[in-house]
Amino acid sequence: MNRDNGFESRRASMVDYQLRARGIESPLVLEAMGRVARERFVPERMRDCAYDDSPLPIGAGQTISQPYIVALMTEALDLEGGERVLDIGTGSGYAAAVLGCIAGEVFSIERVEELADRAARALAAEGFDNVEVCCGDGTMGWPEHQPYDGIVVAAGAPAVPDSLKHQLAVGGHLVIPVGSEHSVQTLMRVTRLAEDEFRTDNLGAVRFVPLLGEQGWS
């Protein structure tokens, strides 16, 4: 066992067996998932489980999504590199770090102040100076930095928030779970085709904590 406790080899195995074997194809996403040290974004007591094929608790009733779901949602944004991305539901900061490996700028919103502060520290410690974190209502987006080439939401909404749809750049993608508060949701990709024209694609069933806020669950 090397001095990183085998995390590097576990990360490589995660990319091969949890991502590539399940159909994740984007070289940018695979490279990002292989680069970000997931163990730095989970509570210390959970670090040995960092590369398990499952979500993990991070405190405040929240979880870090399983690696495959992070990769799936990131790939669905269809990024090519250098874009401006909005990340709703920072959590531990892990998904924001993955996005930060690809996008030029990432703006991430977390409702729970404790998690926002912790994620900002973890991201800074890992050198992600292109990721900015704030505490606020993610359902309203971050209008000051719009338009976004991609928006990803790590919580389930009752419907796609209009505020997020209209902060997308034309040609941009919004990836969000939509459905019941306490059961399986549908992962949706909304593409802005023109100023007032959107296309919606169904990416399959997922399960997320509820998206709370003015345009989410109360």
Side-chain angles (χ1 to χ4, degrees), residues 76-86 103-105 107 145-152 164 167-175 189-192:
L77 293 176
D78 200 22
L79 301 176
E80 296 180 353
E83 295 91 346
R84 176 176 293 185
V85 174
L86 178 63
E105 300 174 285
F107 298 92
H145 301 292
Q146 67 175 313
Y148 299 100
D149 302 298
I151 301 175
V152 64
L164 298 183
Q167 289 177 36
L168 269 181
V170 173
H173 303 293
L174 162 62
V175 178
R189 178 171 62 187
V190 179
T191 303
R192 190 170 197 173

Side-chain angles (χ1 to χ4, degrees), residues 5-142:
N5 294 317
F7 287 128
E8 190 171 338
S9 61
R10 292 186 221 178
R11 194 177 315 128
S13 294
M14 176 267 288
V15 170
D16 284 339
Y17 297 109
Q18 295 180 36
L19 308 185
R20 192 177 279 112
R22 282 186 181 147
I24 300 298
E25 297 179 345
S26 165
L28 290 175
V29 174
L30 293 169
E31 181 182 359
M33 296 291 292
R35 172 182 162 191
V36 178
R38 185 175 165 91
E39 68 274 12
R40 307 288 176 84
F41 293 91
V42 299
E44 190 166 355
R45 62 185 176 81
M46 302 297 298
R47 286 188 174 175
D48 279 345
C49 305
Y51 295 99
D52 287 1
D53 186 20
S54 64
L56 297 172
I58 57 172
Q62 305 298 303
T63 60
I64 180 174
S65 297
Q66 73 184 104
Y68 172 72
I69 290 296
V70 174
L72 176 68
M73 295 176 76
T74 303
E75 185 171 62
L77 293 176
D78 200 22
L79 301 176
E80 296 180 353
E83 295 91 346
R84 176 176 293 185
V85 174
L86 178 63
D87 172 49
I88 307 297
T90 314
S92 70
Y94 174 71
V98 172
L99 290 167
C101 290
I102 304 170
E105 300 174 285
V106 178
F107 298 92
S108 189
I109 306 176
E110 171 54 51
R111 183 180 61 86
V112 181
E113 187 171 7
E114 168 196 352
L115 295 181
D117 291 344
R118 191 188 307 160
R121 290 195 299 271
L123 287 158
E126 292 301 296
F128 288 99
D129 56 5
N130 63 333
V131 181
E132 185 175 346
V133 179
C134 80
C135 182
D137 181 355
T139 70
M140 303 305 293
W142 199 335

Side-chain angles (χ1 to χ4, degrees), residues 186-189 200-205:
T186 299
L187 188 63
M188 309 299 292
R189 178 171 62 187
T200 302
D201 300 304
N202 182 332
L203 302 182

Side-chain angles (χ1 to χ4, degrees), residues 172-183:
H173 303 293
L174 162 62
V175 178
I176 180 172
V178 176
S180 173
E181 185 176 4
H182 297 298
S183 64

